[in-house]
Amino acid sequence: PWKNELPKDLFSKPYYVPTSDGSGVPRKNLKKSKILLEKAGWNIQNGKLIKDSKEFIFEFLIISPSLEKIALAFQNNLKKLGITMQIRTVDSSQYQERLLNYDFDMISHTWRISLSPGNEQQFYWGSEVGKKPGSRNYAGIDSLIIDFLIEKLIGAKSRKELTTIMHAMDRVLLWGHYVIPMHHSNIDRIA
């Protein structure tokens, strides 16, 4: 029922995260990004990305100095596009307080999902629950389509139905570009 509201490619193409050669200089991706930013009305003026007289600037909130390597590499590439990303490392209590109240521009987060997802999905992606302090809808998703899929997921009558709905929800989330996938592990760890 939501076909007209979703990107056409969602129904015909698999979602691929842009890749690079791993050198740390993603030249092709930076060129694509520049084109997309220009189409959205952003232009570089004096080395800064500007739209409607406002500079593209944001803060990457991190809790651990171990994330600084990733943040600094990301910051360096964004600078080439004229984007200013400030990195702020805070202690665990400050970080938790800012997460609970959505007082951040960007964070690094890992979602761990069970093999039998259910109503916790409202907590991660749902519009109504996601607006409340303390939920984990960190991307701020407010989508009737996602809400519809979560309700279908919660009411699934079989494993096959559950899997089908999760695949649909996964595609909608990916094609919504709500997050920047930074890295993943293709192995499972068992203790």
Side-chain angles (χ1 to χ4, degrees):
W2 304 98
K3 194 168 187 171
N4 293 333
E5 286 85 13
L6 293 165
K8 290 184 184 3
D9 288 344
L10 181 143
F11 298 97
S12 60
K13 296 180 182 177
Y15 181 85
Y16 289 106
V17 176
T19 59
S20 70
D21 62 8
S23 68
V25 185
R27 190 176 313 275
K28 287 181 188 175
N29 289 336
L30 289 171
K31 286 180 181 179
K32 288 178 187 176
S33 298
K34 186 176 184 296
I35 291 167
L36 290 171
L37 288 164
E38 286 172 347
K39 282 183 182 177
W42 292 93
N43 294 294
I44 296 178
Q45 297 173 11
N46 299 323
K48 303 289 181 188
L49 196 62
I50 307 289
K51 178 180 179 180
D52 301 328
S53 302
K54 293 186 180 176
E55 181 183 347
F56 196 138
I57 184 169
F58 69 97
E59 180 182 86
F60 188 0
L61 183 68
I62 61 176
I63 188 172
S64 170
S66 66
L67 285 173
E68 285 180 8
K69 283 191 257 181
I70 294 169
L72 288 168
F74 189 45
Q75 181 186 54
N76 185 46
N77 283 316
L78 290 176
K79 187 176 181 181
K80 293 172 187 172
L81 293 169
I83 298 171
T84 301
M85 182 183 85
Q86 299 167 339
I87 302 167
R88 178 174 305 264
T89 307
V90 294
D91 65 41
S92 60
S93 62
Q94 288 176 312
Y95 189 80
Q96 192 59 38
E97 178 66 24
R98 289 184 67 177
L99 279 185
L100 288 171
N101 294 298
Y102 296 99
D103 183 17
F104 58 85
D105 297 324
M106 180 180 179
I107 59 170
S108 176
H109 186 70
T110 302
W111 283 271
R112 289 178 171 81
I113 308 283
S114 77
L115 292 176
S116 296
N119 61 353
E120 80 281 357
Q121 299 304 306
Q122 291 175 320
F123 200 56
Y124 298 143
W125 322 110
S127 300
E128 194 57 41
V129 176
K131 292 176 186 170
K132 296 178 182 170
S135 84
R136 292 187 181 166
N137 184 351
Y138 298 130
I141 297 170
D142 189 2
S143 166
L144 293 173
I145 300 167
I146 294 296
D147 293 341
F148 171 81
L149 289 169
I150 291 170
E151 288 303 316
K152 287 284 195 188
L153 174 78
I154 293 168
K157 305 272 189 265
S158 68
R159 183 76 184 165
K160 183 178 179 184
E161 185 180 0
L162 178 86
T163 302
T164 300
I165 295 165
M166 276 309 299
H167 286 169
M169 197 164 106
D170 188 49
R171 286 181 76 90
V172 172
L173 287 168
L174 286 169
W175 281 94
H177 305 286
Y178 297 110
V179 300
I180 300 171
M182 307 234 353
H183 56 276
H184 84 285
S185 175
N186 60 356
I187 60 170
D188 292 323
R189 293 176 177 89
I190 300 172

